[in-house]
Amino acid sequence: MNKVKLIAVFAENKPGQTARITGLLATAGVNVRWVTIASTGPFGVMKFLVDRPDAAFATLKQNGVAVSFLDVLAVEVTDRPGALHAVADCLAQNRLNLDNASGFVANRRAVLVIELHELERAQTLLQQAGLRVLTQAELLSL
Amino acid sequence: MFWDRVIETLERAALARLQLERLQTTAARVAARVPFYQRQLAARHVTPDHIRSLDDLRRLPFTTNADLRANYPEGLLAVDRRDVARLHTSSGTTGKPKALFFSRRDLDAAAELVARCFVMTGATADDVLQNMMTYGLFTGALMLHYGAEKVGLMVIPAGPGNSDRQLMLMQDFGTTIIHVTPSYALYFADLLEKRGLRPCRDLTLRKAYVGAEPYTEETRHKIEQGLGVDVYNCYGLSEMNGPGVAFECGQKHGLHVWEDNFLLEIIDPETSEPVSDGQPGELVLTTLNREAMPLLRYRTRDITALIPEPCPCGRTHRRIQRITGRADDMLIVRGVNVYPQQIERVLMGIPAVGRNYLITLDGLDDMSVQVELAESGFDGQVEHLVNLQNQIIERLRAETLVKPKVELVPPGALPVSEGKAKRVVDRRRL
Ligand SMILES: [Zn+2]
């Protein structure tokens, strides 16, 4: 299936923490393609799309960072109002709960990154609804 | 098995009569010979004649750590110097130590109590004791040593450390019992594992007397598995002879306090009022059978609780729970007594929690706990962090009755100090 592997990091919501993590990744020669920083209360979780997830995971782990892989779906949507609604609607109709979503635009193509529990079922449903679910390779080559 | 069946199973009323008689003797002795106690008694308008029942104990003054230091070196001595047979000291973290004197008779009485402990756990003259406590000014090793000799065990005065030599002695002389601190016992168990030694196959150990530091039931099980022994909890403090003040019997449920030698009270460390039976509080001990340096109502600062029920082993001397903390560590939050050890026990029981935590008291009376997540405790889901946080709050509330704020922090986020980690920051201005 077309799931995408992100690197999730549990870091303190403090100045300098993001820089420390990105610094470690840069030193390991890992390219960060996209990042989102979600903070719930006092702690923050950063999620990275990187070109080499295994190398990123290893280098962070070695440096004592609380790191984990996180599987998500990347859905290509048309860059116009209502696109997000189409995805949300498809999931809601099938009683799939969206845990988290964020989007970005690269080379005029809009991508929605979504986190939910039943990735495989969600992918099938989204594809049936005519939406394109990108593979890791496709996402990285945007 | 009893060392002294008559006294160990003496019915409570007879025991109480013996205690009263000895309390009266002790009060008279210090009133006659110790200027410190003379002043204390005079200030309370109490004379030894006022002690007519055991309840009158409460008319007597407390003795504290600070009193022992203030009367260093000889201020609390109740016999002539020529009648002192041994000096021990109890060191503090700062300043002068506490000086503790024992007469020949005191040393013999202390050894008697230790002999009771040994026989109570099933030790006989066939056993070989490897005493892995520090010999010297500290009471830990010597006081146990002479009790073991009384029972007829062969004693190997190994002292602590030098694990290779410990192992050699154990193997060459067939050690069956060790006397050891919990931290060294764990270290030694780890060493055996690293060497590929299996205690049940390669050693002849059967029991471990573990004391001198408070430890938990989980640690007992770890030591029992790692060394292939039965662990008996051993409590004592140098001010009260050292080891053998209280000891576990074969039931391994609570420690019998030798009440013919020590009068025991459990009080609220703040109000100094007695707590009801079974409630946690500070252990207070009065020596009943000591001549060189009797101590009245000594505040041990150790937190325990009385087990009022009779023990199936038949001993009438009451039991106390294992020591759960030090009164000096106690925090009072919203009127509730909270011990950092309670918090530690809860946190260390949750696998996703890492090694470090920090308790902060702030504002009017708020307790917050920063908890480091274990490196393996993160799976990328914010939702799981929130759940973990709530779980910690709920468990701490159930344990301490205070609902804390809990902040999960990444591994390594909390400051690590040299040696003992700083666990409590009190910023309240009350
Ligand atoms: Zn018993």
Side-chain angles (χ1 to χ4, degrees):
Chain A
M1 68 167 287
N2 299 353
K3 65 186 176 201
V4 169
K5 209 191 231 181
L6 298 185
I7 291 289
V9 169
F10 176 37
E12 260 179 307
N13 208 359
K14 265 190 194 165
Q17 285 306 307
T18 314
R20 178 175 171 244
I21 304 294
T22 50
L24 287 169
L25 294 175
T27 310
V30 172
N31 236 326
V32 177
R33 303 295 299 269
W34 170 78
V35 61
T36 168
I37 301 176
S39 65
T40 308
F43 52 77
V45 172
M46 298 177 217
K47 293 164 197 164
F48 297 94
L49 172 66
V50 295
D51 56 351
R52 294 188 299 133
D54 293 322
F57 182 89
T59 191
L60 293 175
K61 192 98 202 161
Q62 267 167 25
N63 285 281
V65 175
V67 59
S68 166
F69 289 120
L70 181 66
D71 288 334
V72 298
L73 292 182
V75 189
E76 185 167 4
V77 290
T78 49
D79 190 9
R80 59 170 174 76
L84 172 61
H85 177 72
V87 173
D89 195 45
C90 167
L91 296 173
Q93 277 181 18
N94 292 286
R95 295 181 182 283
L96 276 170
N97 222 345
L98 199 57
D99 293 338
N100 212 340
S102 39
F104 65 99
V105 178
N107 294 327
R108 317 189 107 219
R109 292 168 74 181
V111 177
L112 194 64
V113 176
I114 59 177
E115 283 174 49
L116 32 64
H117 282 83
E118 298 173 75
L119 284 182
E120 196 145 6
R121 203 173 132 229
Q123 182 188 332
T124 315
L125 292 166
L126 290 166
Q127 285 169 334
Q128 281 167 2
L131 291 153
R132 193 154 165 248
V133 180
L134 302 175
T135 64
Q136 185 117 6
E138 286 169 334
L139 186 62
L140 286 170
S141 66
L142 280 184
Chain B
M1 290 276 283
F2 295 91
W3 173 253
D4 187 342
R5 180 188 292 272
V6 174
I7 201 80
E8 291 176 50
T9 61
L10 194 63
E11 57 149 323
R12 290 296 308 180
L15 186 56
R17 280 197 297 278
L18 178 64
Q19 287 179 319
L20 177 60
E21 192 183 295
R22 288 182 165 181
L23 179 64
Q24 288 165 335
T25 310
T26 300
R29 170 176 280 276
V30 296
R33 294 167 183 250
V34 183
F36 165 75
Y37 282 123
Q38 287 165 350
R39 289 194 302 274
Q40 295 280 324
L41 293 170
R44 294 171 155 248
H45 309 291
V46 177
T47 66
D49 298 336
H50 288 112
I51 308 300
R52 300 209 180 90
S53 75
L54 285 175
D55 288 338
D56 292 326
L57 174 68
R58 294 189 60 195
R59 307 178 70 157
L60 297 175
F62 288 115
T63 309
T64 65
N65 226 317
D67 296 329
L68 260 69
R69 287 183 204 290
N71 287 282
Y72 178 90
E74 290 183 12
L76 292 171
L77 193 56
V79 294
D80 292 338
R81 268 288 288 277
R82 67 183 311 275
D83 295 323
V84 174
R86 198 194 295 164
L87 167 75
H88 278 290
T89 64
S90 171
S91 59
T93 40
T94 53
K96 293 276 192 187
K98 290 168 269 183
L100 304 152
F101 299 98
F102 299 88
S103 68
R104 278 220 55 80
R105 188 178 163 279
D106 292 339
L107 291 173
D108 192 59
E112 275 291 307
L113 299 187
V114 171
R116 289 184 201 170
C117 300
F118 272 83
V119 176
M120 176 162 70
T121 62
T124 69
D126 294 324
D127 279 300
V128 177
L129 172 77
Q130 190 158 327
N131 197 352
M132 297 161 74
M133 290 284 181
T134 304
Y135 277 84
L137 284 168
F138 171 57
T139 51
L142 278 170
M143 285 296 189
L144 201 93
H145 180 110
Y146 291 103
E149 287 189 352
K150 226 178 222 288
V151 179
L153 284 83
M154 179 172 105
V155 184
I156 308 175
N162 198 343
S163 300
D164 286 314
R165 192 180 62 187
Q166 300 281 7
L167 192 55
M168 180 199 79
L169 291 167
M170 276 177 199
Q171 293 188 310
D172 292 352
F173 299 99
T175 302
T176 56
I177 304 179
I178 56 172
H179 178 215
V180 65
T181 61
S183 42
Y184 193 35
L186 288 172
Y187 175 85
F188 199 77
D190 194 51
L191 180 117
L192 292 184
E193 198 185 324
K194 283 192 183 124
R195 300 270 169 91
L197 292 170
R198 288 222 307 271
C200 298
R201 184 192 59 197
D202 302 311
L203 297 174
T204 48
L205 294 180
R206 278 201 293 273
K207 304 183 208 315
Y209 299 151
V210 179
E213 298 162 356
Y215 58 105
T216 61
E217 205 54 35
E218 290 76 47
T219 300
R220 183 216 293 268
H221 292 138
K222 267 189 209 155
I223 298 171
E224 291 193 327
Q225 275 162 19
L227 296 179
V229 291
D230 272 316
V231 165
Y232 295 92
N233 196 346
C234 163
Y235 173 73
L237 61 166
S238 293
E239 296 83 342
M240 299 286 138
N241 299 356
V245 171
F247 220 89
E248 278 179 340
C249 64
Q251 304 286 323
K252 294 204 267 186
H253 176 62
L255 298 85
H256 288 281
V257 178
W258 299 121
E259 292 188 86
D260 58 323
N261 275 250
F262 303 102
L263 205 48
L264 106 94
E265 298 170 85
I266 296 184
I267 65 168
D268 181 320
E270 290 306 305
T271 65
S272 302
E273 291 299 314
V275 299
S276 42
D277 282 2
Q279 290 306 302
E282 180 183 349
L283 180 66
V284 175
L285 295 169
T286 299
T287 65
L288 291 177
N289 192 25
R290 230 162 53 171
E291 56 181 20
M293 193 173 154
L295 293 175
L296 300 181
R297 306 186 81 194
Y298 183 70
R299 306 278 301 245
T300 67
R301 309 306 282 156
D302 287 321
I303 301 298
T304 181
L306 189 72
I307 304 176
E309 296 79 27
C311 185
C313 78
R315 286 174 184 81
T316 49
H317 300 240
R318 288 173 300 172
R319 290 165 294 164
I320 53 171
Q321 301 280 8
R322 67 168 60 250
I323 303 300
T324 54
R326 298 273 303 161
D328 301 328
D329 299 340
M330 189 183 77
L331 313 169
I332 305 179
V333 187
R334 293 172 216 160
V336 179
N337 297 354
V338 177
Y339 295 97
Q341 290 87 350
Q342 288 177 289
I343 292 173
E344 173 157 336
R345 198 159 54 235
V346 167
L347 295 178
M348 295 307 129
I350 302 174
V353 167
R355 282 180 295 274
N356 214 351
Y357 64 92
L358 183 67
I359 303 163
T360 305
L361 302 174
D362 215 341
L364 271 177
D365 217 355
D366 292 319
M367 177 167 78
S368 64
V369 188
Q370 286 177 295
V371 181
E372 272 187 16
L373 190 74
E375 270 177 45
S376 56
F378 180 62
D379 63 359
Q381 309 277 347
V382 175
E383 183 193 341
H384 292 168
L385 293 178
V386 175
N387 289 348
L388 177 62
Q389 199 165 18
N390 290 335
Q391 185 197 0
I392 295 172
I393 292 171
E394 188 38 47
R395 289 215 202 165
L396 286 176
R397 195 202 55 77
E399 171 72 29
T400 65
L401 307 179
V402 174
K403 186 174 175 178
K405 283 184 200 137
V406 167
E407 183 189 336
L408 273 179
V409 299
L414 295 176
V416 186
S417 49
E418 293 286 314
K420 237 180 167 175
K422 186 161 178 57
R423 302 296 199 189
V424 183
V425 176
D426 196 343
R427 284 202 287 253
R428 289 175 299 184
R429 273 187 228 117
L430 296 177

